Amino acid sequence: MQTPTHGNLGDQAIAYAQKEFVKDNFKDYEYVEIPLEKVTADYKKIKKVLTEEDIIGIHGGGNMGDMYLLEEYIRRFIIKKFKDNLIISFPQTLSFSNTIIGQKELKKTVKTYNKNSNLIIVARELQSYNLMKKYFVSKKVIHTPDIVLYLNQYQIKARKGVITCFRSDQEKSIDDSLKERLIDYLSKNFKDIYHTDTVVKRKIYPENRLKELKKIWSEFSSAELVVTDRLHGMIFCVITNTPCIVFGNFNHKIESTYNKWLKNIKFIAFVKNNEIKDENEFKTLVGNLVKNSQEFQRHDMIQHYHKIIESLS
C-alpha cells in the first residue's frame, strides 16, 4: 500500500524493489499494489477482500516525519484501520523536526503505531533505527538497508563524462556557490558534464515504472562519475557500479546510510559540505574513486534483508 505515482524516481525504485523482493522471497503470495491516493478511497473494498492470512506492506522511503505529512497521515490510516493483519513498514527514515508541529505529529505517530500489535517497522539507517527503538518500545523494529539496495543493475558499458544530480527542493543543503565551485572543478577534469535529477515532472504508474527507471540507471551506468546530494543518487550509483561523490542533505539519512552500509565500497565517497576547499584534494578524490570502481558484490547487501523474511515467516 501507499506506492507512489509521482515523478520521484527514488520512490519509484523503492516500489519496484519491494515488488521484486516479495516475488523472490514469498512465492506463495500474490502481489497487489495500491497507490497512495487509492488507500483511503478504496478502503472499504480492500477491507472486504482481505483475509487474516494476508500481509500488508507499507511503502518505504524517507517520509516518516512532518515534512511529508500526507504520506505520514496515510501510513497512520493503514496502521489504524488494518489491525487484524500483519503489517510491515518497509525500510524508512524517521525524521520529525523539533518544531511545535513536528513534535505534535511525532506524538500522534507514536500513539497510533504503539496501538497496533501486528506492526513491524523497518529502519533503513542507524539513526532512524535508534529513534524507532526509543519511540516504538513495544513494537518489533528491525534494521536493514534501503530496499533499493536489494537490486543489481550493473551493466558493462563504455563510460564517458560526469553527471551532477543535485536537489533543488526543501531538503537541499548545498548552496549555489559550492555547486559552482564543484562544476568548475569538474569542468577542468572531464570533457563532458551532464546535469540530471532523480525527479521528473510527470506521473509514473506501475506499468511504465521500470521503463522510467531503466532510463536513469542507463545514464548512471554510462558515467565515469556522479556527484550528487540525493540518497537515491548515491544508491543508484551503488547498484550500477558507478563512482560517486555524495554530499549530505538537510537531515541524517544520507550520512547515516553511508556510514552504516556503504562506507566500505571503494567507489562511493561521502563528503561533508565544508570539506571541499582545495582543488588538488578534490582531483585526488575523483581519481581514487574512478580507479577503485569494481564489480558490485550483490550478496553483501542481500544478507541484510533476511531479517525482513524472518519477521514475516
Side-chain angles (χ1 to χ4, degrees):
M1 291 189 182
Q2 202 179 353
T3 55
T5 56
H6 55 67
N8 186 310
L9 295 173
D11 283 337
Q12 293 291 344
I14 289 171
Y16 174 72
Q18 287 165 171
K19 185 173 183 177
E20 292 299 297
F21 174 81
V22 171
K23 283 167 57 182
D24 290 347
N25 297 287
F26 297 91
K27 296 184 186 298
D28 294 336
Y29 282 80
E30 178 186 1
Y31 187 92
V32 179
E33 186 171 327
I34 302 167
L36 180 144
E37 59 264 31
K38 294 286 188 180
V39 173
T40 55
D42 291 349
Y43 161 67
K44 291 183 180 179
K45 295 177 185 177
I46 298 165
K47 195 79 171 173
K48 280 183 180 179
V49 299
L50 277 179
T51 70
E52 290 185 1
E53 288 75 31
D54 294 323
I55 298 172
I56 295 173
I58 302 178
H59 186 73
N63 51 48
M64 191 179 284
D66 58 306
M67 178 169 282
Y68 304 103
L69 274 174
L70 175 60
E71 281 81 357
E72 184 58 24
Y73 292 158
I74 298 296
R75 188 180 298 105
R76 288 183 203 151
F77 179 88
I78 295 167
I79 291 168
K80 186 183 293 186
K81 295 292 186 179
F82 296 96
K83 289 185 178 179
D84 294 333
N85 292 88
L86 181 61
I87 299 176
I88 180 162
S89 176
F90 271 79
Q92 269 281 352
T93 288
L94 185 148
S95 181
F96 285 89
S97 68
N98 286 322
T99 63
I100 293 173
I101 292 174
Q103 293 305 297
K104 182 180 178 181
E105 294 298 336
L106 173 59
K107 288 179 181 178
K108 290 179 181 178
T109 286
V110 170
K111 183 178 180 181
T112 300
Y113 289 23
N114 283 337
K115 281 186 175 180
N116 190 320
S117 59
N118 286 323
L119 177 62
I120 299 166
I121 305 169
V122 188
R124 65 180 181 178
E125 25 75 20
L126 189 58
Q127 191 165 337
S128 289
Y129 176 71
N130 290 334
L131 289 170
M132 290 176 185
K133 292 291 284 187
K134 173 184 175 182
Y135 295 130
F136 311 128
V137 290
S138 62
K139 305 295 107 182
K140 186 182 288 186
V141 178
I142 57 180
H143 186 201
T144 77
D146 184 285
I147 197 68
V148 178
L149 286 163
Y150 179 78
L151 302 174
N152 178 15
Q153 294 296 317
Y154 176 61
Q155 304 173 42
I156 299 175
K157 296 185 72 170
R159 294 182 180 270
K160 179 183 177 183
V162 59
I163 287 175
T164 63
C165 180
F166 290 120
R167 305 193 77 107
S168 59
D169 60 9
Q170 56 193 335
E171 291 193 43
K172 74 172 184 176
S173 66
I174 296 181
D175 60 33
D176 291 337
S177 63
L178 177 55
K179 281 185 189 178
E180 288 174 7
R181 284 168 48 214
L182 289 171
I183 291 170
D184 182 56
Y185 289 160
L186 294 167
S187 65
K188 294 176 181 177
N189 294 281
F190 293 88
K191 182 179 178 181
D192 299 299
I193 299 178
Y194 308 95
H195 305 286
T196 192
D197 200 353
T198 57
V199 173
V200 295
K201 295 179 179 179
R202 55 184 174 272
K203 288 275 193 177
I204 299 175
Y205 298 97
E207 54 268 25
N208 67 327
R209 176 182 294 142
L210 185 56
K211 181 180 178 182
E212 293 282 356
L213 290 171
K214 282 187 175 294
K215 286 180 187 176
I216 194 161
W217 290 337
S218 180
E219 282 184 51
F220 277 42
S221 296
S222 301
E224 295 174 73
L225 174 73
V226 171
V227 182
T228 186
D229 61 349
R230 284 194 176 274
L231 175 66
H232 284 100
M234 172 176 69
I235 289 174
F236 288 176
C237 286
V238 175
I239 66 174
T240 60
N241 196 56
T242 302
C244 175
I245 295 172
V246 60
F247 293 86
N249 68 330
F250 85 110
N251 66 16
H252 57 266
K253 68 182 181 182
I254 293 177
E255 184 171 8
S256 192
T257 296
Y258 174 82
N259 286 332
K260 175 61 182 178
W261 307 114
L262 306 178
K263 66 181 179 181
N264 292 324
I265 297 178
K266 293 182 179 179
F267 56 89
I268 308 289
F270 176 83
V271 180
K272 292 183 184 296
N273 293 358
N274 60 357
E275 287 181 343
I276 299 295
K277 295 177 180 177
D278 183 88
E279 184 174 345
N280 289 327
E281 287 181 14
F282 185 75
K283 188 174 181 179
T284 300
L285 173 62
V286 170
N288 287 337
L289 289 175
V290 174
K291 182 178 69 176
N292 286 318
S293 180
Q294 57 191 333
E295 186 172 351
F296 173 52
Q297 298 296 308
R298 187 171 187 261
H299 65 273
D300 287 347
M301 291 296 164
I302 282 196
Q303 62 181 325
H304 299 298
Y305 299 105
H306 290 164
K307 297 174 188 175
I308 297 178
I309 298 168
E310 291 165 4
S311 70
L312 297 178
S313 301

